[in-house]
Amino acid sequence: MTTQYVYDFSEGDKDQKDLLGGKGANLAEMTRLGLPVPPGFTITTEACREYLAAGAEPGALHVQITTALRKLEDDLGKILGDANDPLLVSVRSGAKFSMPGMMETVLNVGLNDKSVNGLAKVSSNERFAWDSYRRLIQMFGKTVLDIEGEVFSEALQHLKDRAGVTSDVDLSPENLRELVDSFKAIVKEHTGRDFPQDPREQLDLAILAVFNSWNTPRAALYRRRERISHDLGTAVNICSMVFGNLGDTSGTGVAFTRDPASGKTGAYGDYLSNAQGEDVVAGIRNTLSLEDMKRIDEKSYTELMATMRKLETHYRDLCDIEFTVEKGKLWMLQTRVGKRTAAAAFRIATQLVDEHLISMDEALTRVTGSQLAQLMFPQFDSANQVKPVAVGMAASPGAAVGRAVFDSKTAVEWAERGERVVLVRRETNPDDLEGMIAANGILTSRGGKTSHAAVVARGMGKTCVCGADEVDVNVNEKCARVGDLEIREGDMISIDGSTGQVFTGELQVVPSPVSNYLEHGLDHAVATADHETAELVRAVDRILKHADSVRRLRVRTNADTADDSRWARKLGAEGIGLCRTEHMFLGDRRVLIERVILAGNQEEQNHALEALLPMQQSDFEQILDAMNELPVTIRLLDPPLHEFLPDRSELMVEVALGKERGHDVSHQELLLAAVDRLHESNPMLGLRGVRLGIVIPGLFVLQVRAIAQAAIERIRRGGHPKVEIMIPLVGSVMELHLIRDEIDQVIKEISTRENIDLQFAIGTMIELPRAALTAQRIAEAAEFFSFGTNDLTQTTWGFSRDDVEAAFFANYLDKGIFTVSPFESLDIDGVGALVKIAVEKGRATRPGIKLGVCGEHGGDPESIKFFHEVGLDYVSCSPFRVPVARLEAGRVKVLQG
Ligand code: ADP
Ligand code: MG
Ligand code: MG
C-alpha cells in the first residue's frame, strides 16, 4: 500500500498535529465542525521528512497532489489558473509548532498573464484582479525565489510617488498593470528566468520552498533553542482563495474569543475592509474594532460571533482566529488555542470553570508556575499613566528604578554611596559583573533572552530588559539617546522586566495585587482592588487552593531567620527544608568564631565555642517558635572557615601600617597567619561541610547542643518543635557515622539531664556524586536525604557557579549546549540521573526514608515536575517561590497522576 501524503481538509482533526501540522489539523477540525472553511488539502509532514531525507519528493506525491487538486477543482467547478474563471489557492507552511524562519504564505497561486484577465472579467473588478496578480509575484518572488523583499516594496513606493497617491488602495488598474510589469522584470533580472506562467509549476515550486524552509538557519536555530526536534518536518496547506479585497463589502481580520491581554470576557479583534491577508498585521492602514465591523456588516459580524462561540465551546479554551469576508460571506482561515498573558490565563481558566466547560483539575493545567511568579513581582503603579520611551525584551521580571549609569565601575561606586542605579549597556560581558550586582536593574540595547545580560540577571533574580534597540547607548559619552530624547548619567529611569518597557523618570513601584493577596489574605486583597483585579485575585486563590488539595509533594521553605519563616508560612510553606546556620556566626559574633579559629589548644577552643552557645540557642528558639509544629531542617555549619576571617589583603595593609606607626599588631598577625593557613585554591572543594565537623572537634556538638536546648525550651513553653538535623557535604557513610556518634551522644545526655524525650531525625544532604552513588550505604546512617542540587550541579558538571555562569553560559546557551542554565532548571539527564540513583538506593536500604530537595531548583517549575516523578516527599525553596511550587506540584499531580 502506498503512503497517504495528502489529506483533504475534511479528513483530519485537531489531534493530528504531528502529521498535519498545527494549522492543517485545526483547519481540518473546523471543516469537520461544519464551519465555513475554504476547501483545500494538506500535504503531510511525512512527505516533507521523506523529501528532506532523500533530496527528492516521494514518487507518489505528485499523483496524490493531482488527485486532490482535481477533486478540489470538481467541487468548486473551477480549474487552477484557468484563463476564463481561474481557481486560485494559497500555499501555507504549517509545522507542529509555529516557528520563525519558516516560509511565509503565498497567496493567489494560479494567476498568470491570461488568468488575470479571466479573474477581472468574472469579478467585474479589474483593479482587484491586477492587485491580486502583483501580490502573487511579490510574495512568490520573495519567499519562493528568494528575492530581497525591499526590491518589490521600493518599486511599489516608486509607483505610488509617481501616481501621487499615498495608499495602495488608490492605485488605478492601469497603475497595477504597470506594477505587474515591473515586478516581472525584477524576477527576470534577479533569477535569470521569467515568472513561471504554468499554474501547476507555481504550485509545485511553492510546495518545495515550504519543505526547504524547514532547514533555514533561522528555523534550525529556533528549534535548537526551544529543544524542538529537527526531524519533525513541516506540513503544507493548499487552500482555495477567498478574497477580502473585493471592495467595501469584503475585508479581513483577526480575533480572539476573549481578551488575551486582560482575560476579560467577550470577543476582541481587528478588522480591515477591502484588504487581503497580512494587511491587518502589517499595519498599513488603521484597523477597525469588531464593534465598527458590526456597523458596516452586521450579518457577517453576527455569523462571526456565533462561529467564535462555537469554536470556544468546542476547544473549551480561548481561541484566536483569522477570517475573511468576501462580498458579505464569512470564511474561516485559521484557528488555534491562543496565547495569553499570565493574568488572562488565571482569569480565563476560572471563567471556563464557572461556565461549566472545564473542571478545576483542568483549570490547574491551564496556568503555570512561571505565570504565577510573573504576577507576584512588584509592579509600576498603574496610576503612573506614563508612556514607555522604548520597549525591549522582558528578560528578567520585576520593576527597577534608579539613576542611569553606563559602566560597571560607576554602578559600584554610586551604589556604595547609597544611590539606586540602573546599569545601561549596549550589551554586557563578564567584566560588568560587579556593576550588575550593584545595580537595581539592567538595561541593554542588544541581545535577546539568552544574552549575557539576560542569563546573569535571571541567575541573580535581578530585573532586566534587554535588546531595547531604540535605545542608542553611547558608553564613551555616558549617555543614551531614544529618538530626540537624551538620557545622561545620573538621570532617573525605570524599567519593567515583566513587560520590557523602559521609562524615563522615577515611577512609583507597588506590590502586585497577587502578592498582596498572598501576604494579607483574600478579603483584604479583594477589598482594595477594582473589579477586574478582584476577579484575578479570586482566580489565583481558587486555583492555588485546588493545587493544595490535589498535590502529593509537600512544599517547604529555605529560611534562616524567624522573620523569613513567618513570611514563608503566610505564603503556604509547610516547614523549613533548609535552615542555614552560617549567618549566626557573622556580624558581632564574628570575633567569637575568630577565637575558635585562633585557639592555641583544645581548652581555649572549647571556651570560645561555649561563648557562642547562648546566641545560637536563641536563634533556634525563635525559628522553632515561628514554625512550631512544622518540621524544621537545620543544617550544621557548611562554609569554609576562612569565610569568617577578614580579607587577606586588608589584613596585610593593616599589619604594615600598624607596624610603621608602632602599634601592637600581634592579633592581626595571628589572623593573617590563620588566613594563610586556611587559604584554599578551590574553597568550594575544600575544608567545608562535614569535613569541618570532623577536623574541628566540638564544632558540630556545639550546634547540636544549642538546637537541643532550644527545643527543650520550646517544649517547656508548650511548643511542638519538630527538629531535623542535617549534615552537609557527606561523601562517605563513614563520615556520617563518626558525626552521628557524637551527636546522638549529646542528644541523649541532654534528654536525660532535662528529662524530656527528644526525637530528632538525623540525615544528610546528597550533594556529591559519590554520595548519590553510594546512597545505599549512606542511608544506613541517615533518616532523611535532602538533595542539595546547587552543589550537586557544580560537582557533577565540575564547575563553580560563581566562576563560570558570567564567564560563558551565554555562549553555551547561544550554541544550544544548554537551553537553560543548569542552575536555573535541573539538568535532568545528568544531575537528575544521580538523584534518581540516590532515591532508589536510599529506599532499598531504608524504605521509609524521607526525601526532599533544598537547592534553588525546588522552586523551578520544570524541576518540580521531575522531583514529583522520582517520588520525593517534598521540595524546599525560597519563601517567594513557595506559591509557585505549590501550584506546580498540583499541576504535575493532575497531569501525570
Ligand atoms: P501565518 O502563519 O503567518 O498566519 P497564514 O498561512 O495564516 O500565515 O497566511 C497569511 C495570511 O494570508 C493570513 O492573514 C491568512 O488569513 C491569509 N490567507 C491564507 N490563505 C488564504 C486563502 N486561501 N484565502 C484568503 N486569505 C488567506
Ligand atoms: Mg495565520
Ligand atoms: Mg551545599
Side-chain angles (χ1 to χ4, degrees):
M1 221 188 77
T2 46
T3 316
Q4 184 179 352
Y5 295 114
V6 177
Y7 284 71
D8 192 88
F9 286 170
S10 59
E11 284 181 284
D13 64 51
K14 71 173 170 20
D15 300 320
Q16 288 178 290
K17 294 198 177 66
D18 286 326
L19 189 66
L20 303 177
K23 203 177 281 171
N26 285 322
L27 280 167
E29 186 77 9
M30 286 200 290
T31 306
R32 232 168 43 93
L33 286 174
L35 299 180
V37 176
F41 52 89
T42 301
I43 301 168
T44 62
T45 55
E46 188 177 3
C48 173
R49 285 193 294 271
E50 288 189 23
Y51 165 78
L52 292 173
E57 296 112 308
L61 182 60
H62 284 287
V63 181
Q64 292 189 21
I65 292 176
T66 303
T67 311
L69 188 59
R70 285 197 178 176
K71 176 172 178 297
L72 188 63
E73 290 173 337
D74 290 348
D75 287 352
L76 296 176
K78 292 181 182 185
I79 305 281
L80 182 73
D82 182 73
N84 298 314
D85 182 9
L87 166 68
L88 304 181
V89 296
S90 62
V91 179
R92 319 166 68 184
S93 66
K96 180 175 182 184
F97 307 101
S98 73
M99 207 179 292
M102 293 298 294
M103 197 190 85
E104 282 168 37
T105 297
V106 181
L107 302 177
N108 308 330
V109 167
L111 277 178
N112 56 24
D113 294 351
K114 293 210 180 76
S115 59
V116 67
N117 292 311
L119 185 65
K121 205 173 285 158
V122 286
S123 64
S124 315
N125 189 334
E126 209 173 339
R127 194 196 163 277
F128 153 71
W130 286 94
D131 185 48
S132 303
Y133 192 21
R134 70 94 185 164
R135 285 174 192 261
L136 168 66
I137 305 173
Q138 185 169 3
M139 284 186 261
F140 195 93
K142 186 175 151 212
T143 58
V144 180
L145 303 175
D146 277 333
I147 302 170
E148 198 65 52
E150 302 248 305
V151 188
F152 292 105
S153 38
E154 270 163 24
L156 173 60
Q157 190 56 48
H158 191 65
L159 177 76
K160 283 202 283 191
D161 292 345
R162 257 192 313 125
V165 302
T166 48
S167 171
D168 299 5
V169 193
D170 299 327
L171 291 170
S172 68
E174 289 66 39
N175 290 151
L176 291 163
R177 258 175 215 269
E178 204 184 307
L179 191 58
V180 163
D181 282 337
S182 44
F183 279 6
K184 285 201 296 197
I186 290 173
V187 169
K188 178 94 194 217
E189 185 195 332
H190 282 79
T191 65
R193 55 162 292 182
D194 287 318
F195 175 75
Q197 291 290 313
D198 176 4
R200 179 62 193 264
E201 190 189 357
Q202 291 173 2
L203 181 64
D204 289 341
L205 284 173
I207 292 169
L208 274 195
V210 173
F211 283 169
N212 286 321
S213 72
W214 178 257
N215 280 335
T216 59
R218 220 172 126 219
L221 182 68
Y222 181 83
R223 289 196 296 272
R224 242 192 349 263
R225 291 200 183 145
E226 300 290 316
R227 280 278 193 267
I228 296 172
S229 161
H230 291 299
D231 312 328
L232 299 178
T234 178
V236 188
N237 303 291
I238 315 296
C239 182
S240 51
M241 286 300 301
V242 290
F243 299 101
N245 52 343
L246 268 174
D248 291 338
T249 54
S250 305
T252 186
V254 294
F256 302 85
T257 56
R258 296 174 195 237
D259 186 340
S262 68
K264 217 171 141 158
T265 44
Y268 164 96
D270 293 311
Y271 182 71
L272 198 55
S273 71
N274 199 9
Q276 199 175 34
E278 57 289 329
D279 292 356
V280 184
V281 261
I284 306 178
R285 283 182 273 147
N286 283 337
T287 55
L288 304 176
S289 68
L290 294 183
E291 289 72 53
D292 294 335
M293 177 192 173
K294 181 178 180 188
R295 242 173 286 123
I296 303 173
D297 182 354
E298 178 149 9
K299 185 178 147 286
S300 304
Y301 168 84
T302 310
E303 199 186 342
L304 178 66
M305 290 302 129
T307 307
M308 281 166 66
R309 261 184 89 77
K310 197 163 175 182
L311 273 177
E312 201 185 67
T313 315
H314 182 69
Y315 281 83
R316 301 182 306 124
D317 204 350
L318 159 77
C319 294
D320 69 28
I321 60 157
E322 291 176 5
F323 66 96
T324 281
V325 178
E326 178 179 313
K327 292 197 169 164
K329 159 99 183 98
L330 175 73
W331 293 99
M332 301 296 292
L333 288 166
Q334 189 175 323
T335 192
R336 65 186 161 201
V337 167
K339 296 201 164 57
R340 65 207 73 182
T341 63
F346 278 88
R347 285 177 68 182
I348 291 173
T350 51
Q351 285 163 8
L352 294 175
V353 170
D354 293 340
E355 292 165 26
H356 302 285
L357 282 175
I358 62 174
S359 65
M360 273 310 284
D361 271 3
E362 277 175 293
L364 188 49
T365 66
R366 299 279 178 92
V367 296
T368 67
S370 60
Q371 285 172 331
L372 179 59
Q374 273 175 38
L375 293 174
M376 290 168 63
F377 280 101
Q379 305 169 341
F380 289 124
D381 193 345
S382 55
N384 282 322
Q385 295 264 356
V386 284
K387 275 219 174 105
V389 293
V391 180
M393 257 174 278
S396 179
V401 181
R403 298 194 181 281
V405 290
F406 296 87
D407 61 290
S408 182
K409 196 164 151 274
T410 314
V412 173
E413 283 169 14
W414 290 32
E416 271 172 6
R417 65 175 203 232
E419 294 276 7
R420 292 176 299 168
V421 297
V422 172
L423 180 64
V424 185
R425 303 283 289 169
R426 217 167 264 163
E427 53 205 335
T428 61
N429 63 47
D431 295 337
D432 295 316
L433 195 62
E434 303 267 295
M436 296 175 79
I437 294 170
N440 259 7
I442 296 136
L443 167 64
T444 68
S445 58
R446 290 208 201 131
K449 284 195 172 171
T450 59
S451 65
H452 179 269
V455 174
V456 176
R458 272 201 303 278
M460 296 188 215
K462 193 148 282 194
T463 301
C464 176
V465 171
C466 66
D469 51 18
E470 301 134 282
V471 182
D472 185 10
V473 179
N474 190 328
V475 173
N476 293 333
E477 289 179 26
K478 297 198 169 193
C479 74
R481 270 181 208 89
V482 195
D484 300 335
L485 191 100
E486 194 175 61
I487 301 170
R488 308 193 136 275
E489 184 176 83
D491 289 352
M492 271 291 181
I493 59 169
S494 305
I495 59 171
D496 188 332
S498 315
T499 61
Q501 291 174 318
V502 180
F503 306 88
T504 51
E506 178 179 0
L507 262 58
Q508 213 56 44
V509 179
V510 292
S512 78
V514 169
S515 69
N516 191 9
Y517 147 72
L518 287 164
E519 267 196 57
H520 304 292
L522 185 62
D523 292 342
H524 178 266
V526 166
T528 53
D530 61 28
H531 174 75
E532 300 241 336
T533 312
E535 188 191 322
L536 169 63
V537 167
R538 282 203 188 88
V540 170
D541 176 66
R542 282 170 73 185
I543 294 180
L544 254 184
K545 287 202 172 117
H546 186 69
D548 288 339
S549 74
V550 296
R551 69 188 155 88
R552 184 186 60 71
L553 271 178
R554 300 291 98 201
V555 177
R556 298 194 191 180
T557 191
N558 300 346
D560 307 341
T561 63
D563 277 349
D564 269 2
S565 307
R566 278 187 287 268
W567 182 37
R569 273 195 88 151
K570 278 194 196 161
L571 301 182
E574 299 165 292
I576 293 184
L578 174 64
C579 172
R580 302 181 196 85
T581 52
E582 31 273 23
H583 79 277
M584 300 176 182
F585 293 94
L586 293 175
D588 300 344
R589 307 172 187 179
R590 203 153 143 159
V591 283
L592 296 173
I593 194 88
E594 269 177 27
R595 292 227 310 262
V596 174
I597 296 170
L598 297 181
N601 55 41
Q602 191 60 50
E603 203 181 324
E604 261 179 63
Q605 196 165 52
N606 286 348
H607 229 75
L609 284 170
E610 210 59 49
L612 276 166
L613 187 76
M615 301 174 175
Q616 288 250 294
Q617 182 179 332
S618 94
D619 287 338
F620 291 133
E621 269 180 56
Q622 288 175 32
I623 291 171
L624 290 176
D625 178 28
M627 279 295 165
N628 197 16
E629 76 293 351
L630 299 175
V632 175
T633 307
I634 299 171
R635 180 177 73 183
L636 302 186
L637 197 66
D638 183 46
L641 286 184
H642 54 75
E643 285 197 7
F644 301 103
L645 295 179
D647 179 70
R648 181 164 188 273
S649 40
E650 275 169 25
L651 267 178
M652 280 165 68
V653 172
E654 252 183 73
V655 169
L657 281 181
K659 273 189 175 157
E660 203 179 274
R661 292 174 191 156
H663 298 164
D664 174 16
V665 287
S666 52
H667 181 66
Q668 281 86 338
E669 280 179 320
L670 269 179
L671 276 174
L672 188 57
V675 170
D676 284 338
R677 180 159 41 84
L678 292 172
H679 172 79
E680 293 172 315
S681 37
N682 272 315
M684 188 194 94
L685 302 174
L687 179 58
R688 50 175 288 222
V690 70
R691 303 161 194 172
L692 280 175
I694 288 173
V695 172
I696 304 177
L699 183 63
F700 280 8
V701 168
L702 155 85
Q703 291 202 286
V704 172
R705 271 172 58 202
I707 296 167
Q709 287 175 14
I712 298 237
E713 221 18 68
R714 285 306 312 146
I715 293 170
R716 293 229 161 100
R717 287 166 191 261
H720 305 276
K722 265 178 95 175
V723 175
E724 301 174 340
I725 294 178
M726 179 155 82
I727 321 290
L729 216 77
V730 165
S732 150
V733 70
M734 280 310 294
E735 294 170 315
L736 199 53
H737 276 310
L738 280 171
I739 295 293
R740 270 210 80 147
D741 285 350
E742 274 186 273
I743 292 180
D744 288 341
Q745 180 70 25
V746 177
I747 298 173
K748 212 164 95 199
E749 268 170 33
I750 297 179
S751 252
T752 317
R753 190 182 71 209
E754 307 286 339
N755 200 17
I756 288 182
D757 187 26
L758 293 174
Q759 296 289 343
F760 292 175
I762 299 190
T764 183
M765 290 187 78
I766 302 287
E767 51 188 341
L768 295 172
R770 191 178 194 283
L773 297 171
T774 61
Q776 80 284 8
R777 294 298 314 279
I778 292 184
E780 289 165 10
E783 286 153 64
F784 64 87
F785 286 169
S786 176
F787 291 94
T789 48
N790 300 342
D791 266 322
L792 193 56
T793 300
Q794 301 199 93
T795 51
T796 300
W797 280 88
F799 43 48
S800 100
R801 178 174 190 174
D802 291 346
D803 293 323
V804 299
E805 195 168 45
F808 63 81
F809 273 23
N811 193 314
Y812 265 40
L813 284 159
D814 216 40
K815 298 208 159 74
I817 299 171
F818 307 143
T819 46
V820 56
S821 156
F823 291 109
E824 264 179 66
S825 200
L826 191 82
D827 155 34
I828 288 171
D829 295 342
V831 180
L834 286 168
V835 171
K836 225 165 159 174
I837 289 171
V839 166
E840 280 158 18
K841 294 192 167 199
R843 287 223 167 103
T845 300
R846 194 188 284 264
I849 191 168
K850 197 187 268 182
L851 302 169
V853 58
C854 63
E856 277 163 58
H857 300 100
D860 168 65
E862 277 308 305
S863 315
I864 290 170
K865 241 191 245 167
F866 171 79
F867 296 135
H868 172 90
E869 280 164 22
V870 295
L872 298 195
D873 298 303
Y874 69 87
V875 295
S876 186
C877 52
S878 54
F880 177 77
R881 289 252 138 201
V882 165
V884 174
R886 286 162 57 198
L887 186 78
E888 284 295 337
R891 270 166 48 80
V892 64
K893 178 71 173 75
V894 166
L895 287 167
Q896 315 196 345

